[in-house]
Amino acid sequence: MSTTAPDPLAALGALPGVADAVDSVRKAVDRVYGHRVMRRRSNEVTGEAALRGARGSAALSGADWNLEEVRRRTDFSGDDESQVIGAALRLTAEAGQLLSIWRQSPLRVLARLHLVAAGGAAPDDAVGRPRLAGEPVDEPLIEAPLPSADEVAGRLEGLSGLILAGSAAPALVTAAVVHGELLALRPFGSYNGLVARTAERIVLIGSGLDPKSICPAEVGHAEQGRAAYVAAFEGYLSGTPEGMAAWIAHCGRAVELGVRESTAVCEALQRGAA
């Protein structure tokens, strides 16, 4: 009898429609990586993808600013929207620095992401740790019931265990589950959506699917709209095979739209217009 431990992430990869989404994402990513601009100017594409990804993630969290305004501003210490933009920019900059730590201690990375996002905006004792019983959560987009602090602690440990154990699942599946689980748990008092989308980015980069971080899924999530994002997330919350497959497909479409954005950046660079 086999003693091999089950791989729940790989099982999700076998859901109807998921393989097609995975294949479509891989083809899209391969195309943009094959663009001739990537041979010499990939750093510029990476930088632009980071900026646009941060703008998209912030838009989902209620700060829907014009890209040029995000590019122009240097002070994000003002009102709530400014702080959300600043948090998104800091998180995007931090994501690539945490890959090796993510493979060893995902919970440590999540704590670091919240610390970076908060940037001193939250009480010191609430930053960088999962919320305690009775502590409020500020997450304007997601209105699903909050799991208890004990459930959050247990499910975070379970998520960490899945990541540390490794999986044969495609990167898209793992990234979508990490993203969805963090949205479901909302483990911190603030900035949970930004942290969840940054964790998705880390998985996509660290898996080797998008090693240069030029396929900003955050752009695609924002482009599909807040209502579609919430509806797809409700599929994740349902836990049904159909709901999970719909969430994974939604995340796949987000990556493809991020690829389209970076392809446009490549074309602009090639024309000398960016």
Side-chain angles (χ1 to χ4, degrees):
M1 185 171 71
S2 172
T3 58
T4 303
D7 185 344
L9 294 176
L12 292 176
L15 291 174
V18 171
D20 289 340
V22 168
D23 185 57
S24 184
V25 165
R26 283 176 176 159
K27 288 177 179 176
V29 172
D30 286 347
R31 282 195 299 272
V32 71
Y33 270 84
H35 197 287
R36 60 187 301 176
V37 165
M38 288 296 295
R39 298 173 194 166
R40 296 183 179 180
R41 305 182 70 177
S42 64
N43 287 342
E44 293 173 71
V45 181
T46 296
E48 195 64 25
L51 181 70
R52 295 175 187 226
R55 194 217 73 82
S57 190
L60 286 171
S61 288
D64 192 359
W65 287 18
N66 179 279
L67 179 64
E68 294 311 313
E69 177 67 8
V70 177
R71 194 192 306 278
R72 181 186 66 82
R73 287 282 280 271
T74 57
D75 181 7
F76 299 98
S77 61
D79 58 19
D80 289 348
E81 285 194 6
S82 297
Q83 291 179 25
V84 169
I85 295 285
L89 289 167
R90 290 191 299 272
L91 285 171
T92 303
E94 188 79 4
Q97 311 302 314
L98 298 172
L99 298 177
S100 61
I101 304 174
W102 177 261
R103 299 183 187 104
Q104 300 169 5
S105 180
L107 299 185
R108 182 180 165 196
V109 168
L110 294 176
R112 172 64 184 169
L113 290 177
H114 187 243
L115 181 68
V116 168
D124 288 348
D125 65 352
V127 174
R129 63 155 173 79
R131 56 187 167 83
L132 303 177
E135 289 185 335
V137 172
D138 179 17
E139 186 54 51
L141 183 57
I142 305 301
E143 298 180 352
L146 278 171
S148 70
D150 286 344
E151 183 179 350
V152 167
R155 286 172 63 176
L156 281 177
E157 286 293 342
L159 182 63
S160 176
L162 281 178
I163 294 164
L164 292 174
S167 173
L172 172 64
V173 173
T174 303
V177 169
V178 168
H179 183 171
E181 190 68 358
L182 292 174
L183 277 185
L185 296 178
R186 281 149 289 163
F188 303 110
S190 58
Y191 299 115
N192 288 289
L194 295 180
V195 168
R197 291 184 288 275
T198 304
E200 178 185 50
R201 172 184 282 265
I202 288 173
V203 173
L204 293 172
I205 299 169
S207 67
L209 177 66
D210 182 22
K212 294 183 182 294
S213 191
I214 61 166
C215 306
E218 305 96 324
V219 168
H221 286 304
E223 187 170 335
Q224 292 179 90
R226 300 177 91 197
Y229 184 75
V230 171
F233 172 62
E234 288 173 353
Y236 179 88
L237 283 179
S238 75
T240 65
E242 297 81 7
M244 295 295 289
W247 170 247
I248 294 167
H250 183 88
C251 291
R253 179 59 177 158
V255 175
E256 291 186 64
L257 290 169
V259 167
R260 187 175 72 178
E261 187 86 355
S262 287
T263 300
V265 170
C266 288
E267 294 296 328
L269 288 171
Q270 187 168 284
R271 295 191 307 268

